[in-house]
Amino acid sequence: MPNPDTRPWRQRLAPYQQPSARRSILEIVITAAPLAAIWAVAWVAAHFGLWWVALLLAVPAALFLVRLFMVQHDCSHRAFFRNRHANDWIGRVIGVLTVTPYDCWRQTHAIHHATSGDLDRRGLGDILTLTVEEYRALPLWRRIGYRLYRHPVVLFGIGPAYVFLLEQRLPSGLMKGGWRPWLSAMGTNAGIAVFLVIVALLAGWQALLLVNLPTLVIASSIGVWLFYVQHQFEGTYWARRDDWDLTEAALKGASHYHLPQPLRWMTANIGVHHVHHIASRIPFYRLPTVLKDHPELREAARLSVPQSIRAVPLSLWDEASEQLISFRQLARQTRAAAAA
């Protein structure tokens, strides 16, 4: 019987971190081409007054836009091509369509990977999560603000639209840190402006309102939902910095979101998120092979769709029990403590 491989997971997964230029180009084509075709049909429909057709087509367009964002995501990890400049420039071009300044986002996302699950390094590139004690220490108005922030309508509806349409256009966060973030954001804004002018000239301003705007709003909500369930679920991992471990944070604090096959393809296997956090340079099209070759990773932090929905109310990290709890659970704890 062969000896089990006891090497660290990063070493064991290193061979998968080799992108194929031919496969990467193919993935871009089979994602961008359908998106362009759907948009073209929707623009024609909008031009002839078939607004309901245009609006319906925004849904599949949003799914392909999410997949295109995943290509941009892999480019930010230098995972899609061997050449760094190829990754960066393809990421920047896609950033015009996803209205996401590539270089700014790459920096915040790198911080997210370096600090995910670390209670002492929260607040950049993640969804704000307070501990029970931090929440209790807040004044009433800030508690209300946090509860509004964690409400599903805000978290998956208003919030994503605000982030992608407005926040990423404004000089906030990293955009204040020198000329490079400014160049990234303003360059993306200029590219977006050119794209909007071209669409308006070819298809009319109605196309922008009936096709592109709904596509972006729907895609942003889908994207934030995926990002949320990748780290906010029952049994997730958080630890103080002295006890924090990168591999533990990946295997326990990043989910294996088990989606039906069509959605796995549309989301570019981003549900295999625990493996991605162990070795972020694995191209998304190699992630299923990792699970096939290492079956022990299939069940790690496995999350079904029903389980992900049930996790939505979990909004606070209880350090005493080391688990996420809901506001309702906190209220029960408070009443029980008062009665004791």
Side-chain angles (χ1 to χ4, degrees):
M1 185 174 181
N3 293 325
D5 193 340
T6 58
R7 292 177 299 164
W9 273 112
R10 282 198 166 190
Q11 292 182 21
R12 296 164 67 179
L13 298 182
Y16 300 91
Q17 299 183 112
Q18 300 297 326
S20 162
R22 182 177 298 179
R23 177 66 184 273
S24 294
I25 292 171
L26 175 63
E27 294 291 344
I28 294 173
V29 171
I30 64 177
T31 304
L35 174 61
I38 293 169
W39 269 346
V41 173
W43 291 336
V44 171
H47 178 75
F48 285 101
L50 299 174
W51 59 267
W52 59 274
V53 175
L55 286 174
L56 285 175
L57 287 173
V59 176
L63 291 172
F64 278 100
L65 188 62
V66 167
R67 196 172 199 273
L68 198 61
F69 186 92
M70 299 310 171
V71 174
Q72 180 183 356
H73 165 264
D74 269 21
C75 287
S76 75
H77 286 290
R78 312 280 198 250
F80 226 57
F81 294 97
R82 295 175 188 270
N83 184 280
R84 178 175 64 86
H85 298 294
N87 282 301
D88 287 345
W89 280 106
I90 289 173
R92 288 169 186 142
V93 171
I94 293 175
V96 172
L97 299 177
T98 62
V99 298
T100 302
Y102 169 79
D103 293 280
C104 290
W105 189 84
R106 180 169 63 85
Q107 188 173 349
T108 58
H109 192 63
I111 294 171
H112 160 70
H113 268 257
T115 62
S116 180
D118 188 335
L119 283 171
D120 294 319
R121 293 187 289 174
R122 285 167 288 160
L124 191 59
D126 58 11
I127 290 174
L128 177 63
T129 305
L130 296 181
T131 68
V132 168
E133 295 306 315
E134 289 168 344
Y135 176 75
R136 283 175 169 162
L138 293 177
L140 178 61
W141 67 273
R142 290 192 63 187
R143 288 192 194 184
I144 294 173
Y146 182 69
R147 291 181 76 121
L148 287 173
Y149 168 81
R150 297 291 301 209
H151 193 281
V153 172
V154 175
L155 205 54
F156 308 119
I158 299 171
Y162 166 76
V163 168
F164 282 86
L165 292 174
L166 294 176
E167 186 176 71
Q168 295 188 151
R169 316 274 74 76
L170 301 174
S172 60
L174 287 179
M175 290 175 65
K176 296 179 180 178
W179 63 270
R180 292 183 185 275
W182 270 95
L183 180 62
S184 173
M186 295 304 109
T188 302
N189 288 345
I192 293 169
V194 171
F195 175 75
L196 294 179
V197 169
I198 292 173
V199 173
L201 291 175
L202 292 176
W205 62 268
Q206 296 93 334
L208 295 174
L209 294 179
L210 294 175
V211 180
N212 294 86
L213 182 60
T215 296
L216 182 60
V217 171
I218 296 169
S220 65
S221 291
I222 294 172
V224 170
W225 168 257
L226 290 171
F227 185 73
Y228 178 87
V229 299
Q230 287 159 6
H231 299 284
Q232 306 266 329
F233 56 92
E234 189 174 2
T236 191
Y237 172 95
W238 286 90
R240 291 294 175 183
R241 189 167 188 177
D242 290 342
D243 300 319
W244 181 81
D245 179 80
L246 183 64
T247 303
E248 288 285 292
L251 289 175
K252 296 180 180 179
S255 67
H256 174 199
Y257 195 29
H258 190 64
L259 294 168
Q261 180 51 255
L263 292 180
R264 282 183 235 167
W265 187 89
M266 290 303 307
T267 57
N269 300 314
I270 197 64
V272 192
H273 208 64
H274 58 321
V275 175
H276 170 65
H277 265 258
I278 295 172
S280 61
R281 289 198 175 188
I282 299 177
F284 67 67
Y285 48 80
R286 295 201 189 282
L287 291 173
T289 305
V290 173
L291 294 183
K292 180 181 178 181
D293 294 347
H294 301 278
E296 62 269 41
L297 291 173
R298 295 177 193 168
E299 300 304 318
R302 189 181 177 99
L303 186 69
S304 67
V305 173
Q307 287 173 324
S308 69
I309 295 172
R310 290 197 296 270
V312 170
L314 304 179
S315 304
L316 297 162
W317 179 254
D318 185 0
E319 292 190 81
S321 62
E322 296 187 336
Q323 62 181 352
L324 283 171
I325 66 172
S326 66
F327 294 116
R328 184 172 296 180
Q329 288 173 294
L330 177 62
R332 285 200 296 264
Q333 286 183 9
T334 304
R335 287 195 298 267

